[in-house]
Each structure stands twice: as C-alpha cells, then as structure tokens.
Amino acid sequence: MKRTIKKAAVLGSGIMGSRIACHFANIGVEVVLLDIVPRDLDDKEKDKPAARNKLVNDALQTAIKSNPSPLYDKERARLIETGNFDDDMSKIKDVDWIIEVVVENLDIKKSLFEKVEKERTPGTLITSNTSGIPIHLMLDGRSEDFQKHFCGTHFFNPPRYLRLLEVIPTKKTDPEIVDFFMKFGDLYLGKETVLCKDTPAFIANRIGVYSMMSGMHAISDTDFSVGEIDKLTGPVIGRAKSATFRTSDLVGLDTTVNVANNLYAALDKDESKDRFKLPKIVKELHDRKWLGDKTQQGFYKKVKEDGKKEILELNLKTFEYEPKKKSKLDILDKTKNIEDLNKRLQIAISLKGAEGDFYRKTFFDLFKYCTYRIPEIADELFRIDQAVSAGFAWEMGPFETWDAMGLKDILAQMKEAGEEPASWVQEMVDAGFESFYTYEKGKKMFYDIPSKSYKVVPGTEGLIFLDAFKENNVVWEKPGATIYDIGDGVLNLEFHTKMNSVDADVIEGINTAITMAEKDYRGVVIGNEGQQFSAGANLAMLFMYAVDQEFDEIDLMVRTFQNTMTKARFSSVPVVAATSGLVLGGGCELSLHCDAVQAHAESYVGLVEVGVGLIPGGGGTKEMTLRAADDYTPGDPELNTLQEYFMNIATAKVATSAAEAKAMHIFRDGDEITLNRKRLLTDAKEKVLALADAGYTQPVPRDNIKVQGKAALAMFHAGISGMKYGSYISDHDQKIGQKLAWIMAGGDLSAPTEVSEQYLLDLEREAFLSLCGEPKTLERIQSILFKGKPLRN
C-alpha cells in the first residue's frame, strides 16, 4: 500500500502540539489541531464555538507569535484548522495521521485513545509523542487495527529546529508502518529519524540527560562558575551555545528533574543508575523552585538596574546571584582560531589542569555509559550518535567524538582512569579496527558489533559525505577552501574559514573550481557540511585597509569580488550554491550569482552590509536592482516593487527561512528547498546534473536593465528624509540610504533608461569605497569585530 500524508490531526495544543502542527503546515500538510473545551465556561459561553475553542486558539496564536517562529512563513498558518475533543473529533475521520500530544499521563492518553477509536478510519496511522511513557502500555483495550498502525513518534522541542524524530514501534506495529515513518520523517519532515526500542526515555533523553546529570555531578568537585561551565560545554566542543546551565533554564529544571527521577526509578539493571540521582546543586534549586526562565530565575537571573538589563549567574557554593565572572579559559585561548572540531576536541581532552580533568571525567564517563547501552537501547552504535546529535544539537555524537579524539588512545586513558567500557570495545580494537566509523567508496560505514565488521549506515546510501573524499578526491586545497571531485563530473567547493567568511582563499577557490569545471567537468556545487554557508566577507582585512586609508587596496578587493561573482554568473557550466545556516552579506551575494540555489529550509539569508555602514558591494545591489527591474510592471506608478527591494537592503532584513528568502526575491522560483540537512549536498549535485543534462547555455551579461533615474531618487529621498525626521534612522543611516538609492535608481538620470550590469557594478563599487572612508562606518565595523555587537551611530 502506497501511503502519503496530505492531512494530519494533532491532539493536544500545548507547547509541543501547537508547534508540531506548525511544522506539518511548513511542509504543506493540512492540520486539524484539537484540544479540550475550557472547564470554566459560564452558561452564556457553553454554546459559543469561540469560547469552546478558546484554549486551542490561544495556544496556536501563542505559537505563531513566538520567537523563534515555528513556521517558515506566517502564511502557512492557514493550513491549520482548530477545534475541540467534544465537538470536532469526527474531523479525524479523513486524516492520514493522528498524533497524540497531550499531558504525560497514561490514563489521560488511554481515555483519549478510546475517543479516537470511535472516530478513526481503519488504516489511519496513529502515534504518540510521549517522551517517557512506555509505548506498549497505551495499547490496552485497543483494536487489532489500531495496534497494527500505532507506534511512538517522539519529536523534540522546538519541532521545527531540532532535527530528531524517534520512531518507537511495539511488537504489534506493522513493519511497513515503521518503514513509512522512517522514510517520511527523513524526506518530508526533514528529520533525523532514529529507530528506537521501547526502553525508558528511548535513546536521546536516556543519553542526553545522563550526560547532563553526569556533568552536574562532576561540577560539584570543581571551582568553575556557571558561566565557565557553559563556555567549557558549549560550541567549543561542538555543543549548542546554551551548553549546560542555560539549556536547563530554557527547558525548565523541573523537566530535567522529572526525567532523571523517572529514569532512576525505572532502571533496575543500569550499572550507572546512581548518576540519575539529583546532584546537590540541582536538588537545592529544585527545592527553592528556581526552575529557570519559567520562574524568572535558575542558574541565571535577569535583573534591571538603572534602566539597564544585566544577567547574573548563580554562585554554586553560596547560592547567591552575582555578576558574571571574567575568566580566562585555556580551551578558548587555544582553539580561538581553529574551526576544525576534531582538532578542538583533541586539544580539550589533552589539556592539563582543572579544565582537562573536567573534560576527561565527563567524556570518559559518557563514552563508558554508551558502550553499555548496546544492545539495551539500540542494537547499533550509530543510532545513539544520530539520536543525541539531532535531539540535543551536538555536532558529533558520543562515538563520533571518541573517534575524533582517537579510539585507541582514549581507550587506554579510560582504563587507566578506572572507566572500563564494555568488553566489545577492546575486542574491536584487538581485531584491528581503529575507529567506530570509516568511509569506503564514498559510503559511511559503522562498526557492527555482532558481525565484527563495518557496515553501511542505513539511510545514508547515495548521500554525499565530504569526509569520504578527503583521502583520494581532493583536486585543489588552500587553508581556507578545498575542492573535491564528488563524482559524475561534479566538483564541490568547501569553505573552512571562520564562520565560512569569504577571504582570499575562498575567492581563489571559487575562480579555480569554475575554471577547472569549464575545462574538465560538468559543473560545480558550492557548499559544506558545517553550521553556516557563509557569514559574509572578511571584515578584518577590510577594516585594516580602511583604517590605513589604503583605498587602492580596497578598490582591488571589491573589483576582485565583483569579478568573481561575475565569473560564477557567466560560467560555461552550471554553478549551484548549497546554502544552510547563515547566508549573509558576501555569502548571500554569491548565492545571488549562482545559476541555482539548493537551500536547506533553515537558511537565514540577507544582504546585511548596511549594519556595518556599507552597501552590498560584491554585486548584491546590482543584482537586486536587476531583479526589481525584471519584476517591474508599467501599472506600478508608485514604484512599489523597486521600493520593496530597496527596503530589504536598507533595513538589512534577514529571511528566517529559505521560504521567506523566496518571498524576498533572494531565492528564485526555480531554486529548490531541502528539508533534511544531510541530503543538501546530494540534492545540489543532482541539481547541477539536471541543469547540465537539460542543455545548459552560458548566460551573457545584460545591457537592458531598466532603471528609473530621478523618479526613483525622489521617491527614495522622500522616504529616507521621513525616516530621519521621525528619528527612526541616524545621520549616517541617511547617508548610507542615499548611496544605496543612487545605485538602485541608476544615478541622476532624467528619464527611465536601460543600463548594463557593469554600469551598476561601477556605481556600487564607488559607493562602497566612499563609505569605507567614513569614520562612522569604521566605528560600526570595529564594534562587530571586537565586541560582536552591531552599532547604530
């Protein structure tokens, strides 16, 4: 039976339910969102639909207005229909998937499933989003058809952003249903779908909460502050910026405590179950009901003094709040210029002193714990890595981290420290295996314990992993960029500068990749597997030249950048940008000039140069002017189209999704969106081949771009003056706006005129150079470089 999901029902509109409904809407699925009728209705309200649906409607509106948004764009909310369990349960008759997301109470869930059974059409998929209740306990009293089509589908909060979907079947779940959820979650919901056993807390929470509790226990033996621990356990080791304590405050300490307590009570044969006992610091905060953001204080507390907001941190010895400590950590100093996470992890585990001791204690304990969870919670080690990485936003899972540090060396250190892992690890090393993962013929392989051999990671067949090409397929390399031959006549250019910023190596890489492809290949993908596509140009070099008033050097930089973008636009082979994460400034300009964009849904895109006192100078202003001209219609006397494009640049507007980038005309109708990040490079390569196979024709520069001259200038200047008069912008903002207006109007032309791309590029470069000589622009750049904060001066 071929299944599809065109319509879903979400039962329960709390924080998870409302946001799961929004994510279904993100992918174009119609949703029926139902919840209880409020219990406090008076006689006048009992028959009014608005009152009876108040709880669900309020919950949905709260979700839609929340930041970060659960929707790719607000328009998708129209796909969600609301109702209540008493009046509207019949609406589930025509849905394809029913997902229960009510409170974590087995009796309440079973009672709801009784209602569902009365209305559900046989064959309809039915799942629970429970994070802890055993899935099989929900089947009591249910029909055979219900049981056959039922399993757990555990999303992580927030569902749009966290990539994990745990699929937990029971013994009675039809295997075909399990296969469907594994593929649908991957291809359509954009999730890392992980098959789990019906064990306490499944995989991600079992390991993730253990890691958190283990870390809390270890912290009690140190003198590190709350802020220092969050720096030690954050991005520097490939974890989320919220790290340990900030994550606890965001999630709510009560949630962590409940999971830990439940695990301690449920685990009879876990050799490390005592780690789930509440550490002193956690118990103290829980007793005081300092639970985090929901109680306005936890490990951190926001205060306001003299009109200024300040974040205080908890002193773990006195339990009093204090200003954040300024401290110098070795790990941050030694890794500040290292982008490669593997190298940062190797430095962390080899540090001397308290920092190294903390890392060794926590990592060794985590590694050991994971080895003993096979086959209890998962039959294969890769499932643990997938679940924890996707559920807790770790760049690497435990076994991947161990590989990065060195399997054999870490194993020896663990034994010396008394942290003996499960016996299969030593057996694996004795048999000659040197890592948990390897790559063979472009395929990602994992060590399979029963067969004592490497096997392909299921679900990754056919996917591109750049690590698989590093040994034999590098065709050009510089410190900031690498070109790989990824097969079928396609090259891939990867940046690995800080934040993947565009520097001299990257510019050389773009030119080299295109030149090589034009000679011997079919096309180029520009993309990577990192967190960001590109945060923009290298401001440090520009700032140095601008301070020294080396305007000839700046002119050469801008010309080179413009020429490189022109080469990408007018190459004789297709060039596709594979974007994800930050696609800002120069990174956005590069995507504008490629033949096509294959964008991950979570691409945050914009021309943000105004924020540092500049205008887009790498062809971005030219390109948006060209697109505005192509979109212009004679029936638009107010030049609204041109004004919209202008405002997007002048306000440094950033699209918060690939869908929104399309609405802003940065991505075009033909550009495509990939939901699952791990499929991005594969999809981009297919896009290159599709363009080549369709008979790719080299574009030619345009000389027929219609600009509006004085009419547009007058409109722009009137708007800018109004903004200045209303104190919405500063004098320097006004100056930048006028420079931008000059370019997008085509200069002081007396009538609408057709101009060339080079004409607009020259105007763009002149404006960029002039702004580089402005002291207030230098102040803005300096603030970004040295304080990490935008300055409005």
Side-chain angles (χ1 to χ4, degrees), residues 203-217:
I203 296 178
N205 276 336
R206 178 75 172 274
I207 302 299
V209 172
Y210 180 87
S211 177
M212 183 177 290
M213 299 304 286
S214 174
M216 297 279 195
H217 282 290

Side-chain angles (χ1 to χ4, degrees), residues 162-314:
L162 284 181
R163 298 181 297 110
L164 180 60
L165 176 62
E166 292 181 314
V167 177
I168 313 103
T170 73
K171 292 180 179 179
K172 297 182 179 180
T173 307
D174 187 329
E176 178 266 326
I177 302 301
V178 178
D179 290 343
F180 172 81
F181 278 124
M182 294 293 290
K183 292 174 183 175
F184 185 85
D186 172 3
L187 295 173
Y188 298 98
L189 288 169
K191 299 299 178 187
E192 186 77 68
T193 50
V194 179
L195 185 63
C196 300
K197 295 184 177 184
D198 194 4
T199 53
F202 314 130
I203 296 178
N205 276 336
R206 178 75 172 274
I207 302 299
V209 172
Y210 180 87
S211 177
M212 183 177 290
M213 299 304 286
S214 174
M216 297 279 195
H217 282 290
I219 288 161
S220 62
D221 298 329
T222 73
D223 291 322
F224 291 122
S225 69
V226 163
E228 287 174 328
I229 290 294
D230 274 354
K231 287 177 181 176
L232 287 169
T233 59
V236 71
I237 58 168
R239 307 282 176 84
K241 190 175 182 180
S242 55
T244 300
F245 292 121
R246 183 69 191 118
T247 295
S248 177
D249 279 358
L250 287 167
V251 173
L253 188 66
D254 54 335
T255 301
T256 305
V257 167
N258 288 340
V259 175
N261 285 341
N262 289 339
L263 282 167
Y264 183 76
L267 299 174
D268 296 326
K269 298 178 181 179
D270 189 320
E271 75 293 334
S272 299
K273 69 175 290 184
D274 283 351
R275 280 296 190 195
F276 291 109
K277 284 183 178 179
L278 300 185
K280 178 185 174 183
I281 55 176
V282 174
K283 190 175 187 308
E284 182 70 27
L285 260 69
H286 193 255
D287 289 345
R288 294 180 185 220
K289 293 184 169 51
W290 294 355
L291 306 179
D293 289 4
K294 64 179 69 176
T295 58
Q296 283 73 57
Q297 64 187 107
F299 290 103
Y300 294 97
K301 181 179 182 180
K302 290 182 182 178
V303 296
K304 196 172 185 179
E305 290 186 10
D306 301 326
K308 292 184 178 180
K309 292 181 180 178
E310 185 180 5
I311 299 177
L312 304 178
E313 62 182 40
L314 188 71

Side-chain angles (χ1 to χ4, degrees), residues 332-344:
L332 299 183
D333 184 54
K334 292 182 176 180
T335 62
K336 61 184 177 183
N337 294 318
I338 299 176
E339 286 296 298
D340 188 333
L341 177 57
N342 291 289
K343 293 178 181 177
R344 296 203 305 270

